[in-house]
Amino acid sequence: MVIKGAAVANFAKRPDPAARAVLLYGPDAGLVRERAEQIARTVVPDLADPFRVADISPEAIKDDPAKLADEAAAISMLGGRRVVRVRGAGNDIATAVENLLEDPKGDGLVVIEAGELDGKSKLRKLCEGADNAAAIACYHEEGPDLARTISETLAQNGVKASGEVLDWLAARLGGDRAITRSELDKLALYAGKGATLTLDDCRAVIGDSADIDLDDVIRAAALGDLAGLERAYGRVASEGDSPIGILRMTARHFMRLQSVQADISRGLSADAAMGKLWPKVFYKEVGPFKTQLARWPLPRIAQALERLLEAEIQCKSSGGMPSELITQRSLMALAQMAAQAARR
């Protein structure tokens, strides 16, 4: 069976009794681990219990396919249902899982953690199609789901945050659930229970000074601030940021400008069009963002995105100019375009 959407949270709290195996997979390793542990704890609250929890490696199952079914059927010496955990799994354990599901014995719950599995994956198709198994995809959170996770995690720590601060955090977290929660726990500890987070608190704790510098780079390029771009790019370069990463983040910003300009061309006001963006434009950036809109009509944005793509291709090609220099020159070219537009 496939578990998705709102049903995932309910399943993680109360797994379907028919499920003998649960597969959690996807690119967000932290979310895979978190959900796997949550599901396992519905059976065994203490996952360190050696009598009721068995950890089996995929290699051990590969060497002895019957081992998985044997562990699932084993009875705890001290009583109680058991959990069998398999971490780092792949398609090479599919046969063992299939044997388990075809002839399940005992009442143990098998919880399988895997990385990304495409639609052709034998293990994924097996768990999705079986009535006594479940498959849950764990993708990186974004948009409202990420904002909800951030807000709930802070609330659990007794900390409040304004909508603007939540938007700022959502723009910088979410790549991995475990890292997101760790950063938010540090932030809550720094602020103290009952406190209301400020942007300065976030900047002091989240540890993304390089991201802040990159914001300065992108803003300067889009506004046509050549001197500011040179200073900000120097800071980013000293942090060791990937040139291709810088180009892609800049392209993402121009795609946001493109989205707003497209909505404006359809009759929306700038404020209404900006309100549709996610993450939202941080309130201190609203003025600069509107200035950028004035300097970047849709045709010029298309030129900027084409230039950024060409720069990335050049960075990936062997030999020639260093990637750092290609990136810097491309950003300077964008800044010059914006500066020329400002003088008209």
Side-chain angles (χ1 to χ4, degrees), residues 153-185:
T153 302
L154 292 175
Q156 290 166 5
N157 285 279
V159 175
K160 300 177 183 177
S162 67
E164 291 81 5
V165 171
L166 290 176
D167 289 344
W168 190 91
L169 289 169
R172 288 157 176 81
L173 299 174
D176 182 280
R177 174 68 79 92
I179 294 174
T180 294
R181 287 205 184 277
S182 175
E183 293 294 321
L184 292 173
D185 287 343

mmCIF file of all heavy atoms in Angstrom, residues 153-185:
data_model
loop_
_atom_site.group_PDB
_atom_site.id
_atom_site.type_symbol
_atom_site.label_atom_id
_atom_site.label_comp_id
_atom_site.label_asym_id
_atom_site.label_seq_id
_atom_site.Cartn_x
_atom_site.Cartn_y
_atom_site.Cartn_z
ATOM 1 N N THR A 153 8.076 23.052 15.474
ATOM 2 C CA THR A 153 9.289 22.730 16.217
ATOM 3 C C THR A 153 9.633 23.840 17.206
ATOM 4 O O THR A 153 9.999 23.575 18.363
ATOM 5 C CB THR A 153 10.474 22.502 15.263
ATOM 6 O OG1 THR A 153 10.145 21.451 14.351
ATOM 7 C CG2 THR A 153 11.725 22.110 16.031
ATOM 8 N N LEU A 154 9.513 25.084 16.773
ATOM 9 C CA LEU A 154 9.777 26.205 17.676
ATOM 10 C C LEU A 154 8.758 26.233 18.811
ATOM 11 O O LEU A 154 9.119 26.459 19.973
ATOM 12 C CB LEU A 154 9.739 27.527 16.895
ATOM 13 C CG LEU A 154 10.872 27.746 15.887
ATOM 14 C CD1 LEU A 154 10.634 29.025 15.095
ATOM 15 C CD2 LEU A 154 12.224 27.806 16.594
ATOM 16 N N ALA A 155 7.493 25.979 18.479
ATOM 17 C CA ALA A 155 6.441 25.983 19.509
ATOM 18 C C ALA A 155 6.688 24.903 20.551
ATOM 19 O O ALA A 155 6.451 25.115 21.750
ATOM 20 C CB ALA A 155 5.074 25.801 18.850
ATOM 21 N N GLN A 156 7.164 23.753 20.108
ATOM 22 C CA GLN A 156 7.470 22.670 21.050
ATOM 23 C C GLN A 156 8.559 23.077 22.032
ATOM 24 O O GLN A 156 8.638 22.557 23.139
ATOM 25 C CB GLN A 156 7.902 21.423 20.284
ATOM 26 C CG GLN A 156 6.777 20.743 19.514
ATOM 27 C CD GLN A 156 7.275 19.716 18.513
ATOM 28 O OE1 GLN A 156 8.477 19.435 18.442
ATOM 29 N NE2 GLN A 156 6.374 19.165 17.722
ATOM 30 N N ASN A 157 9.405 24.001 21.605
ATOM 31 C CA ASN A 157 10.474 24.505 22.469
ATOM 32 C C ASN A 157 10.072 25.782 23.200
ATOM 33 O O ASN A 157 10.904 26.422 23.850
ATOM 34 C CB ASN A 157 11.732 24.784 21.637
ATOM 35 C CG ASN A 157 12.457 23.514 21.235
ATOM 36 O OD1 ASN A 157 13.211 22.933 22.007
ATOM 37 N ND2 ASN A 157 12.224 23.063 20.017
ATOM 38 N N GLY A 158 8.804 26.171 23.071
ATOM 39 C CA GLY A 158 8.314 27.350 23.782
ATOM 40 C C GLY A 158 8.802 28.663 23.209
ATOM 41 O O GLY A 158 8.930 29.657 23.933
ATOM 42 N N VAL A 159 9.076 28.691 21.899
ATOM 43 C CA VAL A 159 9.594 29.900 21.256
ATOM 44 C C VAL A 159 8.627 30.361 20.173
ATOM 45 O O VAL A 159 8.060 29.544 19.444
ATOM 46 C CB VAL A 159 10.990 29.635 20.640
ATOM 47 C CG1 VAL A 159 11.490 30.843 19.870
ATOM 48 C CG2 VAL A 159 11.979 29.271 21.735
ATOM 49 N N LYS A 160 8.450 31.677 20.060
ATOM 50 C CA LYS A 160 7.572 32.256 19.051
ATOM 51 C C LYS A 160 8.399 32.918 17.959
ATOM 52 O O LYS A 160 9.564 33.253 18.160
ATOM 53 C CB LYS A 160 6.644 33.294 19.696
ATOM 54 C CG LYS A 160 5.744 32.743 20.791
ATOM 55 C CD LYS A 160 4.921 33.844 21.422
ATOM 56 C CE LYS A 160 4.063 33.317 22.569
ATOM 57 N NZ LYS A 160 3.301 34.419 23.225
ATOM 58 N N ALA A 161 7.774 33.112 16.802
ATOM 59 C CA ALA A 161 8.456 33.792 15.695
ATOM 60 C C ALA A 161 7.422 34.469 14.824
ATOM 61 O O ALA A 161 6.323 33.943 14.620
ATOM 62 C CB ALA A 161 9.277 32.800 14.876
ATOM 63 N N SER A 162 7.770 35.624 14.312
ATOM 64 C CA SER A 162 6.867 36.351 13.421
ATOM 65 C C SER A 162 6.837 35.668 12.061
ATOM 66 O O SER A 162 7.691 34.840 11.738
ATOM 67 C CB SER A 162 7.341 37.799 13.262
ATOM 68 O OG SER A 162 8.586 37.833 12.566
ATOM 69 N N GLY A 163 5.842 36.052 11.254
ATOM 70 C CA GLY A 163 5.747 35.482 9.914
ATOM 71 C C GLY A 163 6.969 35.783 9.074
ATOM 72 O O GLY A 163 7.427 34.941 8.300
ATOM 73 N N GLU A 164 7.537 36.996 9.248
ATOM 74 C CA GLU A 164 8.721 37.368 8.478
ATOM 75 C C GLU A 164 9.918 36.495 8.836
ATOM 76 O O GLU A 164 10.682 36.063 7.967
ATOM 77 C CB GLU A 164 9.072 38.840 8.719
ATOM 78 C CG GLU A 164 8.090 39.835 8.134
ATOM 79 C CD GLU A 164 6.860 40.051 9.014
ATOM 80 O OE1 GLU A 164 6.825 39.494 10.136
ATOM 81 O OE2 GLU A 164 5.952 40.761 8.584
ATOM 82 N N VAL A 165 10.073 36.200 10.126
ATOM 83 C CA VAL A 165 11.186 35.353 10.561
ATOM 84 C C VAL A 165 10.984 33.923 10.073
ATOM 85 O O VAL A 165 11.931 33.269 9.641
ATOM 86 C CB VAL A 165 11.329 35.391 12.099
ATOM 87 C CG1 VAL A 165 12.322 34.344 12.576
ATOM 88 C CG2 VAL A 165 11.789 36.780 12.553
ATOM 89 N N LEU A 166 9.745 33.443 10.112
ATOM 90 C CA LEU A 166 9.462 32.098 9.610
ATOM 91 C C LEU A 166 9.781 31.994 8.118
ATOM 92 O O LEU A 166 10.329 30.992 7.656
ATOM 93 C CB LEU A 166 7.993 31.733 9.865
ATOM 94 C CG LEU A 166 7.585 31.494 11.318
ATOM 95 C CD1 LEU A 166 6.086 31.244 11.411
ATOM 96 C CD2 LEU A 166 8.352 30.320 11.924
ATOM 97 N N ASP A 167 9.447 33.043 7.374
ATOM 98 C CA ASP A 167 9.762 33.051 5.941
ATOM 99 C C ASP A 167 11.269 33.015 5.716
ATOM 100 O O ASP A 167 11.764 32.321 4.825
ATOM 101 C CB ASP A 167 9.171 34.301 5.276
ATOM 102 C CG ASP A 167 7.651 34.240 5.178
ATOM 103 O OD1 ASP A 167 7.094 33.140 5.326
ATOM 104 O OD2 ASP A 167 7.030 35.291 4.962
ATOM 105 N N TRP A 168 11.999 33.766 6.538
ATOM 106 C CA TRP A 168 13.460 33.808 6.402
ATOM 107 C C TRP A 168 14.045 32.426 6.681
ATOM 108 O O TRP A 168 14.930 31.950 5.962
ATOM 109 C CB TRP A 168 14.019 34.843 7.375
ATOM 110 C CG TRP A 168 15.467 35.167 7.197
ATOM 111 C CD1 TRP A 168 16.005 36.154 6.429
ATOM 112 C CD2 TRP A 168 16.583 34.499 7.822
ATOM 113 N NE1 TRP A 168 17.385 36.154 6.531
ATOM 114 C CE2 TRP A 168 17.761 35.156 7.368
ATOM 115 C CE3 TRP A 168 16.697 33.436 8.700
ATOM 116 C CZ2 TRP A 168 19.035 34.762 7.782
ATOM 117 C CZ3 TRP A 168 17.965 33.036 9.102
ATOM 118 C CH2 TRP A 168 19.121 33.697 8.651
ATOM 119 N N LEU A 169 13.540 31.777 7.716
ATOM 120 C CA LEU A 169 14.021 30.439 8.055
ATOM 121 C C LEU A 169 13.656 29.428 6.972
ATOM 122 O O LEU A 169 14.458 28.567 6.611
ATOM 123 C CB LEU A 169 13.435 29.999 9.398
ATOM 124 C CG LEU A 169 13.970 30.717 10.641
ATOM 125 C CD1 LEU A 169 13.122 30.369 11.864
ATOM 126 C CD2 LEU A 169 15.427 30.357 10.894
ATOM 127 N N ALA A 170 12.435 29.546 6.436
ATOM 128 C CA ALA A 170 11.990 28.607 5.404
ATOM 129 C C ALA A 170 12.832 28.703 4.147
ATOM 130 O O ALA A 170 13.014 27.716 3.431
ATOM 131 C CB ALA A 170 10.519 28.863 5.064
ATOM 132 N N ALA A 171 13.375 29.896 3.886
ATOM 133 C CA ALA A 171 14.206 30.074 2.702
ATOM 134 C C ALA A 171 15.577 29.446 2.868
ATOM 135 O O ALA A 171 16.293 29.243 1.879
ATOM 136 C CB ALA A 171 14.357 31.568 2.394
ATOM 137 N N ARG A 172 15.956 29.108 4.117
ATOM 138 C CA ARG A 172 17.312 28.623 4.365
ATOM 139 C C ARG A 172 17.375 27.221 4.934
ATOM 140 O O ARG A 172 18.450 26.638 5.050
ATOM 141 C CB ARG A 172 18.029 29.596 5.310
ATOM 142 C CG ARG A 172 18.370 30.897 4.607
ATOM 143 C CD ARG A 172 18.558 32.065 5.559
ATOM 144 N NE ARG A 172 18.968 33.234 4.795
ATOM 145 C CZ ARG A 172 18.126 34.022 4.124
ATOM 146 N NH1 ARG A 172 16.831 33.762 4.139
ATOM 147 N NH2 ARG A 172 18.569 35.055 3.445
ATOM 148 N N LEU A 173 16.235 26.668 5.320
ATOM 149 C CA LEU A 173 16.211 25.321 5.883
ATOM 150 C C LEU A 173 15.384 24.405 4.989
ATOM 151 O O LEU A 173 14.825 24.835 3.997
ATOM 152 C CB LEU A 173 15.628 25.360 7.307
ATOM 153 C CG LEU A 173 16.401 26.200 8.333
ATOM 154 C CD1 LEU A 173 15.638 26.256 9.650
ATOM 155 C CD2 LEU A 173 17.790 25.645 8.558
ATOM 156 N N GLY A 174 15.318 23.128 5.373
ATOM 157 C CA GLY A 174 14.460 22.192 4.653
ATOM 158 C C GLY A 174 15.181 21.174 3.802
ATOM 159 O O GLY A 174 14.562 20.240 3.310
ATOM 160 N N GLY A 175 16.495 21.330 3.599
ATOM 161 C CA GLY A 175 17.206 20.359 2.780
ATOM 162 C C GLY A 175 17.258 18.975 3.397
ATOM 163 O O GLY A 175 17.268 17.975 2.706
ATOM 164 N N ASP A 176 17.257 18.908 4.709
ATOM 165 C CA ASP A 176 17.304 17.641 5.438
ATOM 166 C C ASP A 176 16.588 17.852 6.757
ATOM 167 O O ASP A 176 16.889 18.788 7.499
ATOM 168 C CB ASP A 176 18.747 17.203 5.680
ATOM 169 C CG ASP A 176 18.842 15.872 6.400
ATOM 170 O OD1 ASP A 176 18.689 15.869 7.642
ATOM 171 O OD2 ASP A 176 19.072 14.848 5.742
ATOM 172 N N ARG A 177 15.610 16.983 7.045
ATOM 173 C CA ARG A 177 14.786 17.173 8.249
ATOM 174 C C ARG A 177 15.620 17.177 9.517
ATOM 175 O O ARG A 177 15.405 17.988 10.423
ATOM 176 C CB ARG A 177 13.720 16.074 8.322
ATOM 177 C CG ARG A 177 12.878 16.067 9.604
ATOM 178 C CD ARG A 177 11.971 17.262 9.693
ATOM 179 N NE ARG A 177 10.811 17.088 8.874
ATOM 180 C CZ ARG A 177 9.644 16.571 9.289
ATOM 181 N NH1 ARG A 177 9.510 16.186 10.541
ATOM 182 N NH2 ARG A 177 8.644 16.462 8.469
ATOM 183 N N ALA A 178 16.604 16.296 9.604
ATOM 184 C CA ALA A 178 17.419 16.208 10.813
ATOM 185 C C ALA A 178 18.219 17.502 11.014
ATOM 186 O O ALA A 178 18.324 18.008 12.138
ATOM 187 C CB ALA A 178 18.369 15.019 10.729
ATOM 188 N N ILE A 179 18.775 18.034 9.939
ATOM 189 C CA ILE A 179 19.539 19.278 10.048
ATOM 190 C C ILE A 179 18.610 20.430 10.409
ATOM 191 O O ILE A 179 18.947 21.277 11.242
ATOM 192 C CB ILE A 179 20.278 19.565 8.726
ATOM 193 C CG1 ILE A 179 21.333 18.497 8.478
ATOM 194 C CG2 ILE A 179 20.914 20.947 8.745
ATOM 195 C CD1 ILE A 179 22.022 18.616 7.133
ATOM 196 N N THR A 180 17.430 20.461 9.800
ATOM 197 C CA THR A 180 16.464 21.519 10.107
ATOM 198 C C THR A 180 16.114 21.523 11.584
ATOM 199 O O THR A 180 16.139 22.562 12.251
ATOM 200 C CB THR A 180 15.185 21.328 9.271
ATOM 201 O OG1 THR A 180 15.504 21.515 7.883
ATOM 202 C CG2 THR A 180 14.113 22.341 9.662
ATOM 203 N N ARG A 181 15.792 20.345 12.126
ATOM 204 C CA ARG A 181 15.428 20.272 13.546
ATOM 205 C C ARG A 181 16.608 20.631 14.445
ATOM 206 O O ARG A 181 16.445 21.299 15.468
ATOM 207 C CB ARG A 181 14.923 18.867 13.882
ATOM 208 C CG ARG A 181 13.535 18.572 13.316
ATOM 209 C CD ARG A 181 12.852 17.496 14.132
ATOM 210 N NE ARG A 181 11.570 17.118 13.596
ATOM 211 C CZ ARG A 181 10.443 17.768 13.814
ATOM 212 N NH1 ARG A 181 10.454 18.872 14.550
ATOM 213 N NH2 ARG A 181 9.298 17.339 13.312
ATOM 214 N N SER A 182 17.795 20.211 14.073
ATOM 215 C CA SER A 182 18.980 20.531 14.868
ATOM 216 C C SER A 182 19.208 22.038 14.915
ATOM 217 O O SER A 182 19.480 22.608 15.983
ATOM 218 C CB SER A 182 20.204 19.827 14.276
ATOM 219 O OG SER A 182 21.382 20.205 14.950
ATOM 220 N N GLU A 183 19.085 22.701 13.774
ATOM 221 C CA GLU A 183 19.274 24.145 13.714
ATOM 222 C C GLU A 183 18.201 24.866 14.526
ATOM 223 O O GLU A 183 18.485 25.844 15.231
ATOM 224 C CB GLU A 183 19.255 24.625 12.264
ATOM 225 C CG GLU A 183 20.419 24.157 11.427
ATOM 226 C CD GLU A 183 21.742 24.742 11.899
ATOM 227 O OE1 GLU A 183 21.786 25.918 12.278
ATOM 228 O OE2 GLU A 183 22.742 24.000 11.908
ATOM 229 N N LEU A 184 16.968 24.390 14.443
ATOM 230 C CA LEU A 184 15.877 25.026 15.187
ATOM 231 C C LEU A 184 16.026 24.804 16.691
ATOM 232 O O LEU A 184 15.717 25.695 17.496
ATOM 233 C CB LEU A 184 14.528 24.486 14.702
ATOM 234 C CG LEU A 184 14.145 24.870 13.278
ATOM 235 C CD1 LEU A 184 12.878 24.150 12.853
ATOM 236 C CD2 LEU A 184 13.963 26.379 13.150
ATOM 237 N N ASP A 185 16.505 23.630 17.090
ATOM 238 C CA ASP A 185 16.749 23.374 18.515
ATOM 239 C C ASP A 185 17.825 24.314 19.055
ATOM 240 O O ASP A 185 17.706 24.844 20.163
ATOM 241 C CB ASP A 185 17.174 21.910 18.720
ATOM 242 C CG ASP A 185 16.025 20.936 18.543
ATOM 243 O OD1 ASP A 185 14.864 21.376 18.589
ATOM 244 O OD2 ASP A 185 16.288 19.731 18.366
#
